[in-house]
Amino acid sequence: MLVSYKWLEKYVDLDGISPYDLAEKITRSGIEVESVNVLNKDIKNVVVGHVLLREQHPEADKLSRCQVDVGEENPVQIICGARNVATGQKVVVAKVGAVLPGNFKIKKAKLRGEVSEGMICSLEELGIESRVIAKEFSEGIFVLPSDAPVGTDAMEYLEFADAVLELGLTPNRSDCLSMFGVAYEVAAILGKKVRLPNSTIVHGLDNTNDLISVEVETKKENPLYIAKMVRNVKVKRSPLWLESRLMKAGIRPLNNIVDITNYILLEYGQPLHAFDYSKLDNKKIVVRYATKGEKLTTLDGIERSLKTTDLVITDGDQPIALAGVMGGANTEVDNSTVDVLLESAIFDRLTVRMTSKETGLRSESSARFEKGLDYKRTKDAVLEAAFMMQEYAEGEVSEGLVIVNNVTNTQEDIITTSTDRVNNILGTNIKTEEIRDILDRLGFDYVLQDDINFAITIPTRRGDITIEVDIVEEIGRIYGYDAIPATLPTGKTLTGRLTEKQKLRRLTKDVLERTGLSEAITYSLTSQDKVKLFNLYETELSPVRLAMPMSEERSTLRLSLLPHLLDVALYNRNRKEENISIYEIGSVYLPNPSSVQPTEILHLSGLLSGLYTDNSWKGEKKKVDFFVMKGILENLFAELCVNNVISYKATNIEGLHPGRTAGIYANETLIGFMGQLHPDVEKTYNGKETYVFEISFSELTSLNFEQNKYSVIPRFPAMARDIALVVDKKVSHSDLITVIENIGKPLLKDVKLFDIYEGDKLPEGKKSMAYSLVYMDPERTLTDEEVVKVHTKVLSALESELGAVLRA
Amino acid sequence: MKERLIELQNDALKQIQESNDLKQLNEIRVSYLGKKGPITEVLKGMGSLPAEERPLIGAVANEVRAEIQNSLEEKIQKLEEAKVAEQLANETIDVTLPGSQVPSGNRHPLSLIVEEIEDLFIGMGYEIAEGPEVEQDYYNFEALNLPKGHPARDMQDSFYITDEVLLRTHTSPVQARTMEANKDKGPIRIICPGKVYRRDDDDATHSHQFTQIEGLVIDENIKLSDLKGTLQLFAKKLFGEDREIRLRPSFFPFTEPSVEMDISCMMCGGSGCGTCKGTGWIEILGAGMVHPNVLEMAGYDSKKYRGFAFGMGPERIAMLKYGVDDIRHFYTNDLRFLKQFKRANR
């Protein structure tokens, strides 16, 4: 809502309050003033001029040479490029020395050999947006009324010596979509009274009821319809002050009839529509839903196919307006209009909203209907419009009104509260007297009992106030939130802490970061192609897709975090960063046939590529490889105390290297995978040797982790035996370890791989694996014989189960 | 004889003085002090001396031995010290060379902000509540006093999946769920962080995915002043003790009264600058007293219980605190960006 300070001043005394002060006070009281536009801030020395003579410029076809009276001793010569300049016009002249918006200074000049002492201005040059300038002046200079006083300040005369406050209204404060509403708000803030206009209509001879009949078929969607006739109007330009107020409010002037309906919309918040009476075939208005296949060409010239959910105004046969949204071209007021039928009505918010949304027509009218109107203003608005047509269109107002009233709830709401309740909710110590004063300022009637209990009548203009806390808020905001003390909640003390899973999530982040990975956060929405990659879950169901995506790239909920981590890697590589170590913890969204919502599973994914550490000057560079990544994960699992249930098996995942991929199992259940990206995929991401992992973090943190428990620090020496085993290449480390641990128990305390050899010195298809085995008994010193006994058992089991022989 | 001994002493001391080699010094020791050395030789001739002179010469001989011995030891020690000193000098390194790189990654700046806020409220007895990102229309809107067709639904155009399911547009549904799930309908203090989604084109100030943190306190006798006090504490802890706050009346369908909180600008201290658009104040969050309808829908008796709720955007806070100029940085994950934020000065 754009509010002209000067216009507002007609209703509330703003003496001594600058537009900026007013803006600050309004903002602090609950309606944010988004901007204050002082229209004449950057303008100086602009006056009303009289074009005494306009001639063709002798040297230039497109220029005019004008002699202009600017109220000085002699007229000045001004060269003007506007096509619409003519002898006899009153115009806006920027004199030599004038300044226009954009710090544009007017100097004496010579244009094609002719002296020019000033400039004849368009409204755009005065800083007015072209979309609100009347069409006839939007391409040229603005022509003032013929009685404009020559030499006076043109900005004053145009009523542009004014400031416009832009209110950012929240949906509840639609009462301030009208100047009256703003006036009530400002009066309450300032502690002033509202002055409403007082008009007198001189009625003509005929009666509206004899000229038109109104039928409303949709009583619920159109609870109130009022019609009023104004006859013999002269369609012409509105008075300048009216045009100026419309422009300042962001509405383009058209002609006096349309301008007046718009003016009333701004003043009362009640949208009006003017029909050309002569174009109504049946002299009848019928309000109903559109029928299937019905069409209406709206005022913007577009033919619209109507839906059966669209409310229409008809003349009994044809639709003539889309109720509350836009009028029809078939009954439009034009320059030849003589008789005007005014409509002032209330239409259902949701119906208007739906039609407006579906047609894409968002008008000043529809915006107000959607938010709800004050039915008490519907009649006054149309009467004021009729009065203005009498004053500014020479109209003769027909007596009477046609009213179809089906408003069901006409009782004003009464809300009870008390001084104690107000203070209890706000935490304040406001006195009854102060509450009375605030209610008076708001213009709310009330009954006070026992000097503490209030019964407050809520005016219909404030449809947003329906329950006690609403009125408490009103009292609080006028009282001022700065005056509310700062306290802390009392009451029962609660234990604040992270849940176990939340703790593990933070621990995981800590562990991964200290092993070199940085946290990334990527988008949950991905494309239909990417969602197919790296799935941990086998499902027949299609991934979850948005009903109306904004783009294909962000259309589907992800099933893996890896595709976007790969995008991150590509992004960084394209910026010359080859060393990438990142992780993300975030949800994937698994379709769930037994629920309307997908199952959200927290995943942990990571990507490593390039160098893991780089100390080149020392000749040390550690490249990321499979085992660097595995080490990072093993370290994490150890920190999470779940290493004992985790195992790895070679596996195949589409998109990963077939020989370098492991499934990660917890108690034999697959919970994730890790591996090198398939070289073909690496190429598409500009990379070499990229290692990735993806783990169900929900699963990982649901595992029973080992409790911290003290075990005795060994007091007796351990004995180490190193063995080198020659085995078939296909025998895995895990196979060997399993046998060693099973047989070596309980004396075997530790086993470590320390060397692998494959090569010439061994037979084809064989490899050597060297382990260091540590034996120990916590209770006593082991004898050599005891160790030999178990060690021999281990060796023979290795031989019999895996064909492992000691390397000579 | 005495002269001979003194002569020997002088010769030995001279040789020791001139020697710079441990091996040579050892040879000197052997040659002068050894059993076949000249001193022993001299003493062998002592038999030819008168008896009364013998002890005298003996004493001189001992003095000479001791003198040579001391001198040798002194010199050896000196040489050894010099040797060590030389070795250490050879081992000198350029201590200004860079230290070896230890692998280390960074927390995402949004996580830093979220965790700091979580910790702050945990200290005040709040728990961290979480909920689904793909939410039912009921919890996202209706349970929060936003029935279908409510004009405020326009404020947050949403990504629907079906008519009844959408990507949550705020973390408030977690409040609705927590209240509904609280069986004894007793007090609640929670912080709900999480991802939210709105139909916005991504640009410097908009993101279709962003983060929100909401707080909710339900108890008997909660007052608007309690909200003000809580927010004041929060603002000072997060943005600095010298921050002032102000509340402005506002509107949210799920709270009444509703407020927006501004803090005095941390850039200019309130005198007005580019960051605060000359006003001296920066809008940080929205809040209010839980709307009675919201309490009732979750099964709370709104006559007995009241509450307050507040919600803020970690992206905005991070942008203000760290001076980040484009919201897209948080989701692009440029390593040059991610590596800038450390936990010590979060």
Side-chain angles (χ1 to χ4, degrees):
Chain A
M1 177 79 183
L2 298 170
V3 177
S4 149
Y5 179 90
K6 283 249 161 98
W7 188 358
L8 185 63
E9 223 172 12
K10 306 273 182 210
Y11 314 123
V12 194
D13 174 17
L14 299 177
D15 205 23
I17 298 154
S18 77
Y20 293 105
D21 290 347
L22 181 63
E24 174 69 11
K25 283 183 198 292
I26 294 174
T27 295
R28 297 305 308 280
S29 304
I31 294 172
E32 194 178 346
V33 177
E34 290 174 346
S35 65
V36 177
N37 181 12
V38 178
L39 300 175
N40 55 340
K41 188 176 57 177
D42 304 320
I43 298 178
K44 277 193 201 84
N45 228 349
V46 176
V47 298
V48 175
H50 187 195
V51 182
L52 301 173
L53 179 67
R54 179 258 159 204
E55 302 164 293
Q56 183 67 46
H57 187 293
E59 303 294 332
D61 289 350
K62 291 188 173 166
L63 295 179
S64 300
R65 184 174 64 189
C66 307
Q67 308 305 321
V68 186
D69 177 2
V70 292
E72 289 167 6
E73 212 167 312
N74 297 312
V76 293
Q77 173 167 302
I78 296 175
I79 305 301
C80 179
R83 286 194 187 173
N84 62 336
V85 64
T87 302
Q89 284 173 337
K90 293 284 179 66
V91 292
V92 181
V93 176
K95 297 201 288 189
V96 169
V99 184
L100 295 178
N103 202 22
F104 176 35
K105 289 180 181 138
I106 304 299
K107 292 175 188 139
K108 186 172 172 176
K110 248 187 181 175
L111 291 167
R112 295 288 192 94
E114 291 287 328
V115 171
S116 183
E117 293 183 88
M119 184 172 87
I120 304 177
C121 300
S122 69
L123 290 185
E124 212 172 345
E125 282 155 343
L126 298 178
I128 304 297
E129 273 184 87
S130 66
R131 66 175 182 89
V132 303
I133 301 170
K135 281 216 173 91
E136 57 179 314
F137 304 123
S138 62
E139 297 290 318
I141 56 159
F142 187 70
V143 181
L144 298 170
S146 55
D147 58 357
V150 172
T152 56
D153 183 333
M155 291 302 282
E156 288 282 355
Y157 183 72
L158 283 161
E159 295 202 5
F160 287 165
D162 193 2
V164 175
L165 278 59
E166 186 181 2
L167 307 187
L169 294 175
T170 49
N172 60 323
R173 292 307 304 274
S174 55
D175 60 301
C176 287
L177 282 171
S178 66
M179 291 302 293
F180 286 173
V182 175
Y184 278 111
E185 174 72 10
V186 169
I189 294 167
L190 302 178
K192 302 269 175 71
K193 282 270 171 277
V194 177
R195 302 180 297 235
L196 295 184
N198 196 0
S199 315
T200 322
I201 298 177
V202 182
H203 284 111
L205 294 174
D206 50 10
N207 191 300
T208 304
N209 286 281
D210 300 331
L211 300 167
I212 192 82
S213 70
V214 178
E215 265 174 52
V216 175
E217 292 181 7
T218 47
K219 295 183 169 61
K220 199 171 140 271
E221 295 81 358
N222 178 199
L224 184 57
Y225 195 104
I226 301 178
K228 178 98 179 155
M229 282 292 299
V230 182
R231 313 201 70 175
N232 291 320
V233 297
K234 302 275 176 301
V235 180
K236 55 183 178 184
R237 261 182 83 179
S238 298
L240 186 63
W241 63 265
L242 205 163
E243 287 190 345
S244 175
R245 287 187 190 176
L246 290 182
M247 284 190 274
K248 288 185 284 192
I251 293 178
R252 169 185 286 192
L254 189 64
N255 58 48
N256 52 354
I257 302 300
V258 174
D259 291 352
I260 287 168
T261 61
N262 281 330
Y263 183 82
I264 295 297
L265 169 138
L266 292 169
E267 190 175 40
Y268 284 75
Q270 169 68 55
L272 300 179
H273 187 66
F275 298 101
D276 183 331
Y277 182 69
S278 68
K279 295 174 184 166
L280 290 173
D281 291 343
N282 302 321
K283 308 307 175 201
K284 179 175 165 184
I285 293 287
V286 177
V287 185
R288 59 165 168 83
Y289 275 118
T291 55
K292 218 174 170 193
E294 242 176 347
K295 287 187 164 60
L296 172 68
T297 302
T298 41
L299 284 173
D300 52 9
I302 297 170
E303 189 187 65
R304 298 176 188 274
S305 299
L306 304 179
K307 293 206 174 77
T308 55
T309 50
D310 294 330
L311 201 63
V312 287
I313 315 298
T314 68
D315 65 354
D317 303 324
Q318 297 283 323
I320 55 171
L322 211 43
V325 179
M326 196 177 265
N330 50 6
T331 52
E332 183 178 7
V333 169
D334 57 33
N335 288 335
S336 59
T337 298
V338 176
D339 297 331
V340 171
L341 175 69
L342 286 171
E343 166 200 285
S344 183
I346 297 210
F347 300 112
D348 173 58
R349 305 151 58 143
L350 295 183
T351 311
V352 171
R353 184 162 188 244
M354 195 188 286
T355 298
S356 148
K357 210 170 182 179
E358 300 217 332
T359 54
L361 280 173
R362 285 252 146 128
S363 60
E364 294 278 349
S365 293
S366 69
R368 284 167 176 80
F369 282 115
E370 283 179 28
K371 304 271 158 60
L373 298 179
D374 177 4
Y375 64 87
K376 282 204 165 168
R377 281 193 194 146
T378 310
K379 192 173 96 182
D380 291 348
V382 78
L383 289 177
E384 180 68 12
F387 169 75
M388 286 181 74
M389 288 181 190
Q390 165 191 302
E391 296 295 303
Y392 306 114
E394 298 159 45
E396 297 164 21
V397 181
S398 303
E399 219 171 321
L401 294 156
V402 179
I403 302 178
V404 180
N405 186 350
N406 292 300
V407 177
T408 45
N409 182 15
T410 54
Q411 280 291 315
E412 284 168 325
D413 283 341
I414 292 176
I415 295 175
T416 57
T417 189
S418 70
T419 306
D420 288 350
R421 285 282 294 168
V422 169
N423 285 318
N424 200 250
I425 293 170
L426 297 176
T428 46
N429 195 13
I430 309 177
K431 294 187 177 63
T432 300
E433 202 47 47
E434 289 173 284
I435 295 178
R436 293 181 60 170
D437 175 54
I438 290 168
L439 293 174
D440 289 341
R441 285 163 66 171
L442 286 163
F444 296 176
D445 292 334
Y446 58 87
V447 177
L448 177 64
Q449 282 187 333
D450 310 325
D451 202 39
I452 186 163
N453 293 314
F454 287 88
I456 302 158
T457 304
I458 307 304
T460 50
R461 62 186 160 83
R462 291 300 304 272
D464 59 311
I465 300 175
T466 57
I467 55 175
E468 186 189 17
V469 285
D470 295 334
I471 197 79
V472 172
E473 176 175 49
E474 286 297 301
I475 293 165
R477 74 184 182 89
I478 300 296
Y479 177 71
Y481 286 172
D482 283 348
I484 292 176
T487 58
L488 287 175
T490 51
K492 205 162 114 186
T493 307
L494 302 170
T495 25
R497 61 197 195 110
L498 296 173
T499 63
E500 287 309 314
K501 289 208 173 189
Q502 287 162 350
K503 276 188 215 161
L504 291 179
R505 202 185 314 165
R506 285 207 191 174
L507 174 64
T508 300
K509 291 181 174 194
D510 287 347
V511 172
L512 291 176
E513 283 159 23
R514 67 176 189 246
T515 46
L517 279 69
S518 287
E519 186 186 17
I521 298 178
T522 65
Y523 295 133
S524 309
L525 286 168
T526 189
S527 70
Q528 231 165 350
D529 291 336
K530 284 182 188 161
V531 81
K532 293 177 188 142
L533 303 170
F534 307 110
N535 277 350
L536 189 55
Y537 308 97
E538 281 174 26
T539 169
E540 297 291 300
L541 298 164
S542 338
V544 181
R545 194 179 153 84
L546 299 179
M548 282 171 16
M550 291 176 78
S551 69
E552 188 45 48
E553 191 60 22
R554 308 263 170 261
S555 61
T556 311
L557 283 167
R558 66 184 174 185
L559 285 168
S560 162
L561 313 188
L562 284 179
H564 287 171
L565 289 186
L566 284 165
D567 289 343
V568 171
L570 178 64
Y571 175 94
N572 280 291
R573 284 173 184 140
N574 287 346
R575 283 153 188 81
K576 301 268 175 279
E577 182 53 82
E578 298 289 337
N579 306 326
I580 300 159
S581 301
I582 48 172
Y583 77 93
E584 177 170 11
I585 296 179
S587 285
V588 302
Y589 311 83
L590 200 61
N592 180 352
S594 59
S595 164
V596 291
Q597 289 159 272
T599 308
E600 294 180 27
I601 306 170
L602 218 46
H603 269 208
L604 162 63
S605 292
L607 182 149
L608 294 112
S609 179
L611 296 177
Y612 182 56
T613 54
D614 180 7
N615 296 303
S616 319
W617 69 269
K618 290 172 73 184
E620 298 169 10
K621 273 187 187 180
K622 189 169 181 187
K623 264 177 66 181
V624 170
D625 62 21
F626 183 89
F627 298 104
V628 166
M629 171 170 67
K630 192 175 179 188
I632 288 168
L633 288 179
E634 282 175 339
N635 176 58
L636 172 66
F637 299 150
E639 291 280 356
L640 294 176
C641 298
V642 294
N643 236 348
N644 60 324
V645 295
I646 299 284
S647 58
Y648 310 88
K649 284 177 201 158
T651 188
N652 262 324
I653 300 276
E654 204 185 319
L656 297 186
H657 191 304
R660 295 185 174 182
T661 299
I664 302 171
Y665 292 80
N667 301 317
E668 304 303 312
T669 309
L670 183 72
I671 63 160
F673 58 79
M674 64 171 149
Q676 183 182 345
L677 212 56
H678 194 289
D680 291 348
V681 182
E682 276 169 355
K683 255 181 248 159
T684 63
Y685 287 97
N686 274 354
K688 292 177 274 199
E689 285 208 42
T690 305
Y691 295 87
V692 295
F693 61 86
E694 173 119 0
I695 299 165
S696 163
F697 195 66
S698 297
E699 291 274 356
L700 187 65
T701 50
S702 302
L703 298 173
N704 288 326
F705 50 88
E706 292 171 87
Q707 298 292 328
N708 280 342
K709 195 169 169 263
Y710 168 72
S711 56
V712 178
I713 310 294
R715 283 180 297 150
F716 301 97
M719 288 210 221
R721 292 283 184 280
D722 289 353
I723 52 175
L725 303 164
V726 176
V727 289
D728 285 347
K729 276 188 179 171
K730 66 175 197 318
V731 175
S732 74
H733 165 71
S734 160
D735 297 338
L736 292 164
I737 285 281
T738 308
V739 171
I740 294 170
E741 284 180 344
N742 280 343
I743 307 299
K745 277 188 309 200
L747 293 184
L748 183 77
K749 283 293 171 274
D750 192 22
V751 51
K752 246 194 201 95
L753 175 72
F754 68 85
D755 188 43
I756 299 181
Y757 175 77
E758 291 177 30
D760 309 344
K761 292 174 188 160
L762 290 175
E764 184 83 1
K766 296 278 184 190
K767 64 179 174 183
S768 159
M769 307 277 284
Y771 293 91
S772 177
L773 283 65
V774 176
Y775 297 96
M776 200 194 70
D777 187 324
E779 303 298 323
R780 63 207 170 81
T781 304
L782 284 177
T783 65
D784 216 29
E785 292 77 51
E786 284 170 310
V787 173
V788 167
K789 199 172 146 200
V790 58
H791 194 63
T792 313
K793 252 171 81 182
V794 169
L795 292 177
S796 64
L798 284 168
E799 185 169 8
S800 62
E801 289 179 36
L802 300 169
V805 292
L806 272 178
R807 191 175 174 196
Chain B
M1 208 169 229
K2 188 181 170 186
E3 288 75 28
R4 174 71 186 137
L5 284 170
I6 298 297
E7 194 183 319
L8 278 171
Q9 178 181 333
N10 287 341
D11 285 354
L13 292 183
K14 191 164 174 250
Q15 278 186 40
I16 291 166
Q17 189 66 37
E18 284 166 0
S19 173
N20 275 317
D21 184 90
L22 285 171
K23 201 173 150 199
Q24 202 181 3
L25 285 172
N26 203 37
E27 280 165 12
I28 294 170
R29 179 207 311 272
V30 174
S31 64
Y32 281 92
L33 303 178
K35 282 184 181 138
K36 291 171 184 165
I39 295 173
T40 316
E41 282 300 313
V42 171
L43 289 177
K44 274 181 190 164
M46 229 171 29
S48 61
L49 286 178
E52 67 275 18
E53 279 186 33
R54 282 184 200 161
L56 213 66
I57 292 299
V60 170
N62 283 339
E63 267 172 42
V64 167
R65 273 174 182 277
E67 191 65 25
I68 294 173
Q69 185 72 35
N70 283 344
S71 176
L72 271 170
E73 276 168 16
E74 210 173 282
K75 184 75 186 197
I76 287 167
Q77 195 186 346
K78 226 164 136 187
L79 284 181
E80 273 173 352
E81 278 171 8
K83 196 178 159 193
V84 169
E86 191 193 349
Q87 188 189 343
L88 292 179
N90 285 339
E91 285 171 3
T92 299
I93 55 169
D94 176 356
V95 295
T96 65
L97 284 170
S100 293
Q101 196 191 60
V102 174
S104 114
N106 275 31
R107 197 74 120 232
H108 193 285
L110 289 177
S111 294
L112 293 181
I113 297 286
V114 170
E115 287 174 17
E116 182 175 9
I117 294 170
E118 285 176 351
D119 291 346
L120 215 137
F121 281 100
I122 284 172
M124 292 195 266
Y126 290 61
E127 290 186 349
I128 313 299
E130 290 168 293
E133 292 168 31
V134 183
E135 190 48 282
Q136 295 171 34
D137 185 274
Y138 175 78
Y139 289 108
N140 194 73
F141 289 129
E142 285 177 51
L144 298 167
N145 206 25
L146 276 149
K148 288 211 162 76
H150 192 290
R153 283 198 182 200
D154 276 359
M155 288 160 85
Q156 34 195 356
D157 262 2
S158 347
F159 288 117
Y160 274 90
I161 288 160
T162 64
D163 283 349
E164 292 304 323
V165 177
L166 74 161
L167 303 190
R168 67 179 176 194
T169 56
H170 46 193
T171 45
S172 313
V174 183
Q175 300 181 8
R177 284 178 176 274
T178 307
M179 281 192 272
E180 191 187 78
N182 188 351
K183 289 214 175 55
D184 62 5
K185 303 298 173 199
I188 292 177
R189 282 186 196 189
I190 52 166
I191 288 288
C192 325
K195 291 175 181 145
V196 300
Y197 307 84
R198 289 188 196 173
R199 275 190 98 78
D200 272 324
D201 284 315
D202 297 338
D203 61 26
T205 52
H206 295 85
S207 182
H208 75 276
Q209 172 181 324
F210 58 101
T211 321
Q212 234 186 24
I213 298 190
E214 300 230 344
L216 173 75
V217 170
I218 304 279
D219 208 335
E220 296 175 33
N221 230 3
I222 293 290
K223 301 168 165 67
L224 185 63
S225 60
D226 296 335
L227 171 63
K228 187 173 178 180
T230 302
L231 294 181
Q232 188 169 354
L233 199 68
F234 158 77
K236 284 179 183 290
K237 292 278 180 244
L238 198 72
F239 293 103
E241 285 299 326
D242 46 355
R243 292 279 70 72
E244 298 296 324
I245 70 157
R246 72 173 191 187
L247 300 183
R248 277 181 294 107
S250 187
F251 170 75
F252 306 105
F254 26 90
T255 50
E256 185 75 15
S258 300
V259 299
E260 280 179 281
M261 183 186 84
D262 299 337
I263 60 167
S264 56
C265 180
M266 62 280 262
M267 298 295 165
C268 62
S271 58
C273 67
T275 302
C276 57
K277 293 185 192 123
T279 63
W281 295 95
I282 295 176
E283 188 183 320
I284 292 294
L285 55 78
M289 301 295 288
V290 179
H291 198 288
N293 291 357
V294 173
L295 285 165
E296 294 287 343
M297 269 185 280
Y300 271 85
D301 177 0
S302 69
K303 294 213 167 49
K304 187 174 173 202
Y305 280 95
R306 283 201 302 266
F308 64 70
F310 53 88
M312 66 194 107
E315 279 89 349
R316 179 169 167 73
I317 291 172
M319 289 169 93
L320 286 170
K321 271 193 88 160
Y322 305 143
V324 178
D325 55 0
D326 190 324
I327 195 171
R328 286 168 295 196
H329 282 312
F330 295 113
Y331 297 96
T332 314
N333 300 293
D334 189 319
L335 285 165
R336 294 166 299 182
F337 176 76
L338 295 179
K339 293 276 187 187
Q340 291 180 23
F341 306 99
K342 301 292 177 195
R343 289 164 86 177
N345 63 355
R346 64 182 187 178

